[in-house]
Amino acid sequence: MSKAVKMKPVRRLVPKKPSNNILKDPVGVYCRVRPLSQDDQECCIEVISETTIQLHPPDGIKVNRNGEFKETQYSFKKVFGINTTQLELFEDVAKPLVDDLLHCKNGLLFTYGVTGSGKTYTMTGSPGQGGLLPRCLNMIFNSIGPYQAKRFVFKTDDKNGMEIQTQVDALLERQKRENQSALIKTPKQRLDPDVADMINIEDACKVEGIDEDSVFAIFVSYIEIYNNYIYDLLEDTPFEPIKPKWNGCGTPMRSTEFIPPQSKILREDQNHNMYVAGCTEVEVKSTEEAFEVFWKGQKKRRIANTQLNRESSRSHSVFIIKLAQAPLDADGDNVLQDKEQICVSQLCLVDLAGSERTHRTKAEGNRLREAGNINQSLMTLRTCIEVLRENQMYGTNKMVPYRDSKVTHLFKNYFDGEGKVRMIVCVNPKADDYEETLLVMRFAEMTQEVEVARPVDRPICGLTPGRRHRNQAFKDELTRKLEERGGPINGDDGSMIDILLQSFPPLPSCELVDPSDEQTLPALIECLEKRQRAREMLIEAFHNQVVKTKSMIQNFEGTVSGKDNIIQEQRAKLSDKDRVILQHKSELDRLEKKTKTLEYKIEILQKTANIYEEDKRALQQELDTKDQKLHRQLSDNRRLEARLQGVASETKIKWEKECERRVAAKQLEMQNKLWVKDEKLKQLKAIVTENKNERPDQPEKPERPSRDKDKVLLRPVTPSPASGEVFRTRGGGQAVQFTDIETLKQESPTGSSRKRRSSGNIPVQQEETTENEWTDVETRCSVAVEMRAGSNLGPGYQHHGLPKRRKP
Ligand code: ADP
Ligand code: MG
C-alpha cells in the first residue's frame, strides 16, 4: 500500500450461476455511516460514492512505515451516509426481505459494527425514528391485513413445525384462553408513548402480489444470546416462590427477587433448520401487538442485564418473525385442512454484539471472560464466513465451524441452505473507532464474497385462483337478497303460509272483569272458530300440497327411473364397447408381439445374409487370387517349355556337330596311322624285295590323307583278317574287334603333347581336343570295342575300325 489511496477492485455483486443450476446471490452488504456526536470532533470516514467509503487514518496513526498517508477505500452494495433516513434504509435493505417473507422465502438481516456505531438505532430505531424492525412489522401487517387467519387457526408445535385447525376449533381455543386470562387478568397497559412513536410509521407500504387465496398468521419470538447461552426473552416468568438461582455463567444472582431466564438449546428440525427448542412464539395480529411483544422482551433484557451486571452491548439479540401461510379451500370460505399445504417462512432480525476487541471495554474478571466468549462468537462468525468464502471460491470442502458458537449455529441453514442474507455494517466515523472500523471493513468486504443459494418460488396449490373473491361476492349477494325480502328466503308456498298466518285475525282481549260480560267470550269463541276454520283450510291446503308434492315426487321418481334405465342401457353399451376395446387391445398386443417377433427374425436373417455375403466375397476374392496365380504359373510353364525346347534343340545340334567332328578327327587319325603303317610296310617290303630280287624300279609313295578340318574322309575299310576279327552286330552292322591298337607318335602343330588312356567299353571323350589341335596319341586298346552302325550317330555316318595290330 505505497499509494496514497488504496484502490479496491469493484466487488462482484452480480449473481453467479453455478454449475449445478442453483442460483446463488452474494450476501448483500450495506454500510451505514452515523453522524458524529458533538464531542467526537475528528472524522475518519468519507463517503466518496454511492458504493464506496474512504477511511482516513486519524492524526495519531496517520503515517505508515514509508511515511505516507494510508487511506483505504471499501466498496459495498450501497453506502448510506449520515443523512440517510430510516425510511430510505428500509426501502433499500429490508423491503425486499419482507417481500420474500410473504412469498414464502427466508431472510436474515443483521447489523454489525462496534458499540455505539448505530446498530440498535438501525434495527430498532429511536422515538419518532422507527428502525427496520417496526417498519418490517408494519409492512407485513399492511400486506396481510385483510387475509389474516383468526387467532389459533395456526398453531406452532414444539418441533419448529406448524399445525392447522378449523375455525370452530380455533374459536373454542380462543374462548378457553380468554377465560384463563380473565382469571389472572392484569389491566392492559397503554403503550409507552415513545414506543407508539416508533411504530407510528407514516409511509405505509405493502407487498404486491401476495396470494389472496391464502390466509396468513404471524408469530414472533425474541431471543438473546449472551456468553454463548440462549435466553428466551418472551418466556413468561413463572409464579413461583423466589429461590436463589444461578445465572448462565455460574455466578450467583445478586438479587433474590429476580429469576433469571433459563438458557435454551438449539435443535434441528426435519428440514435441517435450526431452532431454539421450547422458545415462546407469540401469535400477533397487528404491528402494535407485535412491537409490544418485542418491547416486553426488550425490557426483560434490560432488567436481566442490570440485575446480572451484564453489558448489553455484549449480547446478540435475535427477533424472529415467522409467517405461516395456508390456502383457502375450494369454496374460498375456510382454510384448507392440509398440513402439507402450510408454508412457513421467517425473517430474522439480528442486532449483533459490538465487534470491538475486549481490551477496549476495560472489563475485568467475569465480565472479561464473558466478553471474551462474546468476542469468540463474533470470531466464529468471521471464521465461518472466511471458510465459506474459501470453499466457494476455490472449490475446497472445508468444514464450516457453525457449531462453535450459538449465533452461527442458529443461522447455519441460511448459509448452507437457501435464503437471502443481508448485513448492515454500522460505522461511527469518529477517530477513536478507526482501528476497530478497519477490522469491521475487512470482515464486511470478505462477507460480500460469500454466496447463498437463492430461495426458489414455492408452487401454488392446485385450487382455482380467485376463490376468496368469489366467496365474498356470493356472500354479499346473499345478504343483499335477504335484505330485499326482509327475512329468510323460503319457497313460494312457504311465504303464502306466512302470509296466511299473519292474516289470522288477532285475538280479542280475553280478560273477564264482569261475570255478566256477554261479549268477550262470544267474541273470543268467534275468533277461535275463525282461526279453526283458517287452520282447517290450511290443513287442507297442506294436504293438497302434500298430495301435489307426492305426485311430483312420483313423477320425478318415474323420470329418474326412466333416466336410470337409460343410464343402465348406456352402461351396458359402454361395457360392450369396453369389451370390444379390450378385444381390440389384446389383438393389437398380439399383433405387436408378432411384429416384434418378425422384426427380430428379419433382423437375424439380415445378419445371416450379411455373413453369407461376406463369406461369398471372401471366397470370390480367394478364387480370383488363385486364378491369377494359375495363369501366372501357366505362362511361366509355357515360357519354361519354350526355353527348354530351345535349349534341347541347341544341345542336340551342338552334340551332332561335336560327334561329327570327333568322328572326322578319329577317321583322320586312323587313316594317318594306317598310312604310316602302310608306308612302313611298303618300305619294309621294298627292303625285303630289294634284298631278294634286286628290283630296279622305285616303289610308289602312298598319299598322306588330308587334314582339312571340314573334310571328313569316309573310306570304307575292309578289316584285315590278320589284324582284327570282323563280326556282325545285333543291329545289323559290322564290328571289328581289335586286340591291340598302337598309334605311333606324331608331332602336334601346337607342340603340346598329351596322353590319354581309356579302359572299358565307353569311348574316350576328347573335349579339349579341337580340330586345329593335332595330338599325337599312342593308344593301346586291349579291350573290344563294339560299334553299332547307324544307331546313335545319325544318318550317313559310318564307323570305321582299325585292324587289329600287334605292337612290334
Ligand atoms: P450500537 O447499538 O451500535 O451500540 P446505538 O444504536 O445504540 O449503537 O447508537 C448509539 C447512539 O448513537 C444512540 O444514542 C443513537 O441514537 C445514536 N445514533 C446511532 N446512529 C445514528 C444515526 N444514524 N443518526 C442519529 N443518531 C444515531
Ligand atoms: Mg446496540
Side-chain angles (χ1 to χ4, degrees):
M1 281 195 287
S2 56
K3 274 196 192 164
V5 175
K6 181 191 164 198
M7 287 303 293
K8 293 259 174 179
V10 178
R11 295 280 157 188
R12 166 182 43 80
L13 297 172
V14 262
K16 204 167 74 176
K17 200 175 179 184
S19 51
N20 50 1
N21 278 340
I22 297 171
L23 286 172
K24 285 188 161 191
D25 293 313
V27 173
V29 180
Y30 300 82
C31 177
R32 185 182 206 184
V33 186
R34 60 157 285 183
L36 281 170
S37 46
Q38 267 81 20
D39 35 330
D40 316 314
Q41 288 308 318
E42 202 187 348
C43 171
C44 63
I45 293 174
E46 190 190 340
V47 178
I48 59 167
S49 81
E50 276 229 318
T51 54
T52 313
I53 60 164
Q54 188 164 308
L55 259 69
H56 310 270
D59 286 335
I61 40 168
K62 208 158 208 171
V63 179
N64 71 3
R65 257 182 268 138
N66 301 331
E68 287 166 317
F69 288 108
K70 189 178 157 190
E71 290 170 338
T72 45
Q73 288 186 353
Y74 296 92
S75 296
F76 302 97
K77 193 162 182 184
K78 195 160 182 184
V79 171
F80 299 95
I82 52 168
N83 297 320
T84 310
T85 62
Q86 299 280 58
L87 176 64
E88 281 165 7
L89 189 80
F90 171 75
E91 297 256 340
D92 272 330
V93 184
K95 222 173 162 179
L97 292 174
V98 175
D99 204 296
D100 273 7
L101 178 77
L102 294 185
H103 288 103
C104 264
K105 297 169 187 174
N106 295 338
L108 169 66
L109 173 63
F110 57 96
T111 51
Y112 184 88
V114 297
T115 302
S117 59
K119 297 185 296 296
T120 308
Y121 177 80
T122 299
M123 197 53 93
T124 314
S126 60
Q129 296 288 313
L132 299 177
L133 191 148
R135 283 173 196 274
C136 285
L137 288 171
N138 196 47
M139 186 175 179
I140 291 167
F141 285 107
N142 265 337
S143 311
I144 63 165
Y147 315 120
Q148 277 203 70
K150 291 272 189 305
R151 210 182 287 267
F152 302 127
V153 165
F154 289 101
K155 275 172 75 184
T156 54
D157 64 13
D158 54 356
K159 293 185 188 74
N160 204 32
M162 195 63 77
E163 279 167 357
I164 201 160
Q165 59 180 355
T166 61
Q167 300 206 12
V168 178
D169 289 338
L171 179 74
L172 289 173
E173 191 159 346
R174 271 201 303 279
Q175 284 173 353
K176 204 170 82 188
R177 302 248 181 149
E178 272 164 21
N179 291 341
Q180 277 174 3
S181 59
L183 292 173
I184 44 165
K185 194 128 199 155
T186 42
K188 203 177 177 192
Q189 288 170 350
R190 272 214 51 175
L191 206 61
D192 188 333
D194 282 352
V195 173
D197 221 8
M198 274 162 94
I199 56 170
N200 184 17
I201 293 147
E202 60 298 342
D203 333 85
C205 44
K206 242 181 166 180
V207 172
E208 294 301 320
I210 74 160
D211 184 11
E212 294 180 355
D213 291 316
S214 286
V215 289
F216 301 85
I218 295 285
F219 295 82
V220 293
S221 39
Y222 192 21
I223 57 165
E224 181 181 37
I225 301 173
Y226 183 85
N227 193 22
N228 217 22
Y229 286 98
I230 301 173
Y231 300 103
D232 180 1
L233 293 174
L234 303 183
E235 201 171 35
D236 277 331
T237 323
F239 291 88
E240 274 177 29
I242 297 158
K243 286 181 252 165
K245 295 245 172 168
W246 296 78
N247 69 7
C249 48
T251 43
M253 287 166 3
R254 295 260 174 107
S255 165
T256 46
E257 285 145 13
F258 174 74
I259 302 165
Q262 290 293 299
S263 68
K264 303 278 179 201
I265 56 159
L266 284 178
R267 285 229 177 96
E268 192 172 335
D269 70 6
Q270 55 180 8
N271 300 321
H272 307 291
N273 290 312
M274 298 309 299
Y275 70 100
V276 181
C279 180
T280 316
E281 289 178 289
V282 183
E283 186 175 6
V284 286
K285 291 287 161 206
S286 66
T287 313
E288 293 76 28
E289 196 187 344
F291 201 75
E292 218 176 317
V293 170
F294 166 75
W295 205 247
K296 203 175 113 192
Q298 192 78 333
K299 261 191 201 160
K300 198 167 183 178
R301 183 183 175 199
R302 232 174 286 146
I303 295 167
N305 286 342
T306 324
Q307 299 282 343
L308 300 169
N309 193 21
R310 301 197 301 210
E311 202 183 318
S312 69
S313 69
R314 296 262 138 210
S315 70
H316 315 282
S317 74
V318 183
F319 188 71
I320 302 167
I321 307 170
K322 196 183 251 186
L323 176 97
Q325 180 175 346
L328 286 171
D329 60 10
D331 295 336
D333 201 17
N334 291 303
V335 193
L336 195 70
Q337 297 293 308
D338 181 359
K339 204 180 164 187
E340 296 295 306
Q341 294 287 342
I342 308 173
C343 167
V344 182
S345 48
Q346 65 177 35
L347 173 61
C348 287
L349 303 173
V350 187
D351 187 357
L352 287 175
S355 68
E356 63 276 1
R357 287 162 293 183
T358 336
H359 64 84
R360 227 182 76 134
T361 63
K362 299 177 190 75
E364 285 169 5
N366 256 342
R367 282 183 66 176
L368 180 70
R369 234 189 347 268
E370 288 170 28
N373 265 340
I374 288 160
N375 264 359
Q376 191 56 47
S377 66
L378 284 179
M379 181 74 91
T380 308
L381 176 67
R382 283 191 286 265
T383 313
C384 288
I385 295 282
E386 224 165 88
V387 175
L388 263 171
R389 175 175 152 267
E390 201 182 317
N391 282 350
Q392 290 176 359
M393 287 178 100
Y394 309 114
T396 50
N397 200 14
K398 278 192 189 170
M399 215 238 335
V400 186
Y402 296 115
R403 287 166 183 273
D404 287 3
S405 94
K406 293 281 189 285
V407 180
T408 48
H409 199 188
L410 181 61
F411 300 123
K412 171 179 167 285
N413 207 48
Y414 278 98
F415 293 101
D416 267 2
E418 53 170 50
K420 198 176 262 176
V421 182
R422 292 189 164 186
M423 174 166 94
I424 301 171
V425 182
C426 296
V427 281
N428 191 341
K430 69 174 181 184
D432 289 355
D433 278 1
Y434 174 77
E435 279 184 73
E436 294 295 340
T437 305
L438 264 184
L439 297 178
V440 170
M441 291 293 123
R442 282 182 202 146
F443 169 67
E445 280 217 311
M446 183 179 70
T447 306
Q448 37 188 353
E449 284 175 342
V450 169
E451 291 185 325
V452 175
R454 186 185 294 182
V456 287
D457 284 315
R458 186 175 165 269
I460 38 170
C461 80
L463 297 167
T464 357
R467 306 188 292 282
R468 185 190 288 275
H469 282 296
R470 271 199 306 281
N471 184 46
Q472 195 55 48
F474 172 71
K475 277 183 180 166
D476 291 348
E477 180 65 15
L478 204 70
T479 321
R480 196 181 56 77
K481 275 198 172 162
L482 276 172
E483 276 171 3
E484 261 177 24
R485 287 169 189 258
I489 309 158
N490 283 315
D492 284 344
D493 296 334
S495 60
M496 202 185 77
I497 290 164
D498 269 356
I499 294 159
L500 268 171
L501 281 171
Q502 276 163 21
S503 64
F504 276 165
L507 286 175
S509 163
C510 329
E511 212 176 336
L512 287 172
V513 279
D514 188 3
S516 60
D517 188 352
E518 293 288 321
Q519 281 178 350
T520 309
L521 276 177
L524 187 64
I525 286 164
E526 194 190 354
C527 181
L528 285 174
E529 272 170 357
K530 263 188 197 167
R531 283 196 167 207
Q532 175 65 21
R533 273 199 300 279
R535 190 172 165 268
E536 274 161 9
M537 259 169 68
L538 276 177
I539 286 168
E540 206 185 312
F542 176 71
H543 279 299
N544 286 346
Q545 199 63 39
V546 167
V547 170
K548 229 157 96 183
T549 313
K550 262 188 187 164
S551 73
M552 262 167 76
I553 287 170
Q554 268 164 7
N555 276 349
F556 183 68
E557 269 178 354
T559 326
V560 165
S561 67
K563 295 254 150 98
D564 264 354
N565 286 344
I566 293 173
I567 287 171
Q568 288 296 334
E569 271 170 31
Q570 294 295 336
R571 280 224 177 105
K573 275 185 194 168
L574 208 68
S575 62
D576 277 355
K577 294 251 147 104
D578 272 352
R579 257 201 307 281
V580 173
I581 286 172
L582 270 177
Q583 274 171 8
H584 280 290
K585 259 191 191 155
S586 64
E587 179 66 16
L588 209 69
D589 281 352
R590 198 182 58 78
L591 286 176
E592 260 174 16
K593 263 185 212 154
K594 205 172 161 184
T595 314
K596 268 194 194 132
T597 323
L598 286 176
E599 270 172 5
Y600 179 66
K601 273 185 187 165
I602 288 171
E603 203 180 308
I604 287 175
L605 285 175
Q606 193 72 46
K607 275 183 190 159
T608 321
N610 285 348
I611 291 169
Y612 281 143
E613 201 70 51
E614 255 169 45
D615 279 359
K616 191 183 147 191
R617 260 202 301 280
L619 286 174
Q620 188 66 46
Q621 241 170 23
E622 208 178 323
L623 201 69
D624 286 350
T625 327
K626 288 217 167 139
D627 231 13
Q628 279 171 5
K629 217 161 131 187
L630 211 66
H631 274 299
R632 263 202 310 278
Q633 266 179 359
L634 213 64
S635 61
D636 280 355
N637 283 355
R638 268 196 211 116
R639 266 202 307 280
L640 198 70
E641 203 184 316
R643 214 166 54 226
L644 282 177
Q645 266 174 2
V647 169
S649 60
E650 240 172 58
T651 319
K652 192 179 157 191
I653 292 166
K654 199 172 140 193
W655 276 108
E656 272 173 11
K657 276 184 186 167
E658 179 66 22
C659 287
E660 271 172 23
R661 192 187 57 76
R662 283 186 195 173
V663 167
K666 268 291 181 236
Q667 253 177 1
L668 198 63
E669 192 190 320
M670 288 304 154
Q671 275 172 358
N672 273 338
K673 281 179 186 172
L674 202 65
W675 182 78
V676 172
K677 298 259 170 177
D678 275 353
E679 199 61 20
K680 278 180 183 173
L681 203 65
K682 267 180 195 164
Q683 282 172 2
L684 277 172
K685 261 182 191 170
I687 295 165
V688 171
T689 339
E690 219 177 285
N691 288 346
K692 273 182 179 178
N693 305 338
E694 301 254 317
R695 274 178 66 179
D697 48 321
Q698 227 23 60
E700 209 179 309
K701 219 179 177 178
E703 203 183 325
R704 192 175 175 134
S706 164
R707 278 202 264 173
D708 194 335
K709 72 170 185 177
D710 296 325
K711 197 176 160 192
V712 180
L713 180 71
L714 295 171
R715 202 161 54 134
V717 177
T718 314
S720 150
S723 53
E725 285 164 50
V726 178
F727 54 92
R728 288 208 172 263
T729 63
R730 267 179 293 171
Q734 284 183 323
V736 183
Q737 188 172 6
F738 294 96
T739 51
D740 192 16
I741 292 173
E742 191 176 315
T743 308
L744 291 177
K745 206 174 177 183
Q746 271 189 315
E747 282 293 315
S748 161
T750 53
S752 67
S753 86
R754 208 167 281 177
K755 254 188 196 174
R756 281 214 179 205
R757 257 164 219 264
S758 93
S759 64
N761 55 356
I762 299 159
V764 178
Q765 284 193 348
Q766 287 179 315
E767 289 164 347
E768 288 155 15
T769 316
T770 63
E771 306 289 322
N772 299 329
E773 271 178 67
W774 274 95
T775 318
D776 289 330
V777 190
E778 192 177 277
T779 316
R780 285 170 204 270
C781 300
S782 57
V783 285
V785 177
E786 189 189 343
M787 309 276 280
R788 281 197 308 193
S791 61
N792 284 328
L793 298 171
Y797 188 87
Q798 272 188 311
H799 295 279
H800 74 272
L802 291 175
K804 186 182 163 184
R805 292 279 165 106
R806 215 173 273 269
K807 211 179 165 185

